[in-house]
Amino acid sequence: MKKRKSPIGALFLTSLTLGLCLAIVLGGLIIVGLPLQATRVFGPPTTSLNTSQRVRLSAYLLWQSEELTSPANPNGMAVPFQIGLGEPLPIIAARLKDESIIKDPDLFISYLQYTGLDTTIQAGDYELSPAMTPVEVAHNFQDATPKEVTITILEGWRLEEIAETLPTTGLAITPQMFLEAASKVTSNHAFLLKIPPQGTLEGFLMPDSYDVPRDLTINQLLNHILDNFGIQVTFDIREGFERQGLSVYEAVSLASIVEREAVNEDEMPIIASVFLNRLVVGMKLEADSTVQYALGFNSEHNTWWTNPLTFEHLQIDSAYNTYHYPGLPPGPIANPGLTALRAVAFPAQTPYYYFRAACDGSGRHIFAETFDEHVLNACPEEE
């Protein structure tokens, strides 16, 4: 006789089968559904995650989505934040919490791991704010490029020398763009209004270090530098120019010569007095620096300032050659610093009409009232 199957046993097996099927379906929905939902909210996960990691991180991020997309403090102030080369992620996250930039270091790390951004954090200097969401902070760490860059203009540089430094500054301004813009005067700054029609911005680009936005345009850059000239060349300096009988343009031209001729700043007022004395009596300035400017770039020595000058160099036919032409050159030969500009505004009161380099190699000069004294001051090898 065959045994009859128990209805309870059959029901149990059916229920178990249905439960397993349901679990499989639910598991599939979780495995597929959670990552899909996380992708819609946070973008696709990195391909380096396995299925278990993808599901776990997706579930965690969705559960904490509000905190990930909300700032720690909407009114928080920006603070500098530096990431060292090879600094571990847990330490970075902990420091972010200490600075009150994020609230939950573990959640922040989980987001980085989900997106794969944990492997592409760049060392460098950042400016972060509690008003940024953790998601924004994470993406900020992918680019350590500063929003500001520094451009430095040294005393005595001519326009071409400034232009040559631009490719290393991070600005999107090429040397050619700079030279084209600086070769004409389009600014409405008051001190530029009386520049001759052929004049350029040579001489008015105040030597200094400028911290400027990386996306600055060429006109914005030039106006920023010209603003600095207007601030530093104060009313009393301009009055000093007038007392010497010079316009601002003439004074800047003379100051550029003083800048290039002087080695030691304390001698600038004396050197300025020599040139001013010569102008008063109608003597030629006979400044080597003006000839150097006229010669332009020396490809053999890779410099804009040929030194030493030869007798042939001094014969160059240029309006800037102050050995041939009396008075000031047509314009500045470089961009003088504030000390040189003040030297022209407030020169020393001297009887000197000549100067030459001292023979000790110090860069200092020996000054003379007469030409005979000047000859006697020559170094032995020059006689």
Side-chain angles (χ1 to χ4, degrees), residues 188-240:
N188 59 0
H189 288 78
F191 52 82
L192 297 176
L193 296 180
K194 294 185 179 180
I195 288 184
Q198 74 277 12
T200 71
L201 294 182
E202 187 82 90
F204 292 91
L205 300 184
M206 178 62 73
D208 208 339
S209 288
Y210 299 88
D211 295 324
V212 296
R214 181 178 290 273
D215 58 356
L216 205 68
T217 66
I218 178 58
N219 288 331
Q220 289 172 330
L221 173 63
L222 292 176
N223 281 324
H224 183 61
I225 298 172
L226 292 170
D227 286 344
N228 191 31
F229 181 96
I231 292 170
Q232 296 208 44
V233 182
T234 56
F235 180 74
D236 66 316
I237 294 177
R238 299 182 204 193
E239 278 194 327

Side-chain angles (χ1 to χ4, degrees), residues 180-350:
E180 287 179 1
S183 67
K184 49 186 179 292
V185 180
T186 58
S187 169
N188 59 0
H189 288 78
F191 52 82
L192 297 176
L193 296 180
K194 294 185 179 180
I195 288 184
Q198 74 277 12
T200 71
L201 294 182
E202 187 82 90
F204 292 91
L205 300 184
M206 178 62 73
D208 208 339
S209 288
Y210 299 88
D211 295 324
V212 296
R214 181 178 290 273
D215 58 356
L216 205 68
T217 66
I218 178 58
N219 288 331
Q220 289 172 330
L221 173 63
L222 292 176
N223 281 324
H224 183 61
I225 298 172
L226 292 170
D227 286 344
N228 191 31
F229 181 96
I231 292 170
Q232 296 208 44
V233 182
T234 56
F235 180 74
D236 66 316
I237 294 177
R238 299 182 204 193
E239 278 194 327
F241 295 160
E242 290 182 12
R243 284 194 296 271
Q244 309 312 318
L246 301 171
S247 67
V248 172
Y249 189 66
E250 291 170 333
V252 172
S253 297
L254 182 55
S256 69
I257 298 173
V258 172
E259 183 71 67
R260 292 301 314 178
E261 294 288 330
V263 176
N264 298 282
E265 287 190 346
D266 64 307
E267 288 188 343
M268 286 184 176
I270 306 174
I271 292 175
S273 77
V274 171
F275 290 130
L276 287 167
N277 290 343
R278 282 178 165 249
L279 287 173
V280 169
V281 299
M283 292 177 65
K284 294 174 184 175
L285 296 185
E286 297 184 348
D288 286 0
S289 55
T290 61
V291 176
Q292 292 171 324
Y293 185 78
L295 289 171
F297 187 71
N298 185 324
S299 57
E300 182 179 352
H301 298 138
N302 194 34
T303 178
W304 287 97
W305 305 96
T306 299
N307 188 42
L309 292 175
T310 65
F311 177 78
E312 287 73 22
H313 289 144
L314 298 180
Q315 307 312 306
I316 184 172
D317 186 15
S318 167
Y320 283 91
N321 186 347
T322 55
Y323 279 89
H324 281 189
Y325 295 92
L328 290 165
I333 62 169
N335 292 277
L338 186 59
T339 303
L341 290 162
R342 290 186 61 84
V344 171
F346 312 109
Q349 300 302 309
T350 75

